[in-house]
C-alpha cells in the first residue's frame, strides 16, 4: 500500500505558488472572515494566515462576534469586493445558524470567490467551463495526478453530497472520465456500492464509516473527513488499519487531504490575483 502524502505535495505546491507570486507586480491578497467562536474554524483560519505568510501573500483576518448581524457581514464582504489589494475572500463555514449561508456566498464577488462556492463558479464547474474549483475536491484531484492515478474508465464512489466536497468531487471525477456514483445518508447497501469502487472518496464526518470489508482489493481510498476519536486524536471516516490491508493507495489523516485543501486555496488566490492583474 502506498500512502498518498498530501503534506509533501502541499509543501511543493505552496513553494511553486510562492515563486510565482514573487514575480507579480502586486502580491496576492486574501481576506479570511470568521464569525463566532467555533474552535475548529479558528484553527483553520490561523493556519490559512500561516499559509499566506509562507507564500508571500498579503492577508487580513476578520473575527466577528457570534451575534454579529448578517447585514454587517454582508457590508464587510461588499467592502472587500471593492478593495484593489484583496484578490480572494473566504468566509469560513459553517456560519452561525441565524445567518443564510447562501445569501452570504452570493455576496462574494465571483472573481474573488477562491472557495469556488458562488453559484457562478459552481455552475461553471457543472457545465465544464473554467471556474474557481472548491479547494478540497481540487486538492484530491491534484493528489491523484501526483501519483499518476488516472480516473478515466474507473468506477469512482463518493460518499457525501455536500456542496463543498461531495458534489464537486463527483463532477471533477466525471470530468476526468470516471464512472461516478454519489452516495449519501439515504443510500441503501452503501457497503456493496463502496466495494465496487476503484476510487473511493469518503467525505461524511463519521469515524469508522468505511470499514475494511467495504474496500476492494487494490482500490484507491481517499479520506476527506476530519473527526476526533475518544482520545481527541484526529481521524477520518476510514478504518485506516483495516483499509491499509486492502487498498493500493490510501490517504492518512492527518497529512492527506487537509494540507491539500490549504495548498489549493493558495493556488486559487494566486490565480485570482493574476486574473485581476490581467496576467492570465
Ligand atoms: N469549512 C470547511 N471547509 C471549508 C472550506 O473549504 N471553505 C470555507 N470557507 N469554509 C469551510
Amino acid at each position: 500500500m502506498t500512502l498518498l502524502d498530501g503534506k509533501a505535495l502541499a509543501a511543493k505546491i505552496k513553494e511553486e505558488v510562492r515563486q510565482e507570486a514573487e514575480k507579480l507586480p502586486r502580491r496576492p491578497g486574501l481576506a479570511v472572515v470568521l464569525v463566532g467562536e467555533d474552535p475548529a474554524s479558528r484553527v483553520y483560519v490561523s493556519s490559512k494566515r500561516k499559509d499566506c505568510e509562507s507564500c508571500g501573500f498579503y492577508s487580513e483576518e476578520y473575527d466577528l462576534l457570534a451575534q454579529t448581524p448578517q447585514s454587517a457581514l454582508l457590508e464587510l464582504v461588499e467592502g472587500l469586493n471593492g478593495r484593489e489589494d484583496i484578490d480572494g475572500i473566504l468566509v469560513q463555514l459553517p456560519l452561525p445558524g441565524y445567518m443564510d449561508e447562501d445569501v452570504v456566498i452570493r455576496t462574494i464577488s465571483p472573481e474573488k470567490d477562491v472557495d469556488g462556492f458562488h453559484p457562478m463558479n459552481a455552475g461553471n464547474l457543472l457545465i465544464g467551463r473554467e471556474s474557481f474549483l472548491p479547494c478540497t475536491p481540487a486538492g484530491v484531484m491534484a493528489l491523484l495526478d501526483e501519483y499518476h492515478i488516472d480516473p478515466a474508465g474507473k468506477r469512482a464512489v463518493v460518499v457525501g453530497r455536500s456542496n463543498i466536497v461531495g458534489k464537486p468531487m463527483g463532477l471533477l471525477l466525471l470530468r476526468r472520465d470516471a464512472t461516478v456514483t454519489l452516495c449519501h445518508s439515504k443510500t441503501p447497501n452503501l457497503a456493496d456500492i463502496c466495494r465496487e469502487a476503484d476510487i473511493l472518496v469518503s467525505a461524511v464526518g463519521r469515524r469508522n464509516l468505511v470499514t475494511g470489508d467495504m474496500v476492494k482489493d487494490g482500490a484507491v481510498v481517499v479520506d476527506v473527513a476530519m473527526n476526533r476519536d475518544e482520545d481527541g486524536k484526529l481521524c477520518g471516516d476510514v478504518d485506516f488499519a483495516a483499509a491499509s490491508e486492502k487498498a493500493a493507495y490510501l490517504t492518512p489523516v492527518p497529512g492527506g487531504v487537509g494540507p491539500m485543501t490549504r495548498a489549493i486555496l493558495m493556488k486559487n488566490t494566486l490565480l485570482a490575483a493574476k486574473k485581476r492583474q490581467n496576467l492570465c
Side-chain angles (χ1 to χ4, degrees), residues 32-33 41 44 48 89-94 108 115 117 134-137 164-165 261 265:
V32 178
V33 183
S41 292
Y44 297 145
K48 283 163 193 158
I89 302 169
L90 181 143
V91 178
Q92 185 67 35
L93 303 180
I108 299 170
D115 261 328
F117 294 165
C135 300
T136 299
I164 295 182
V165 183
T261 299
L265 176 67

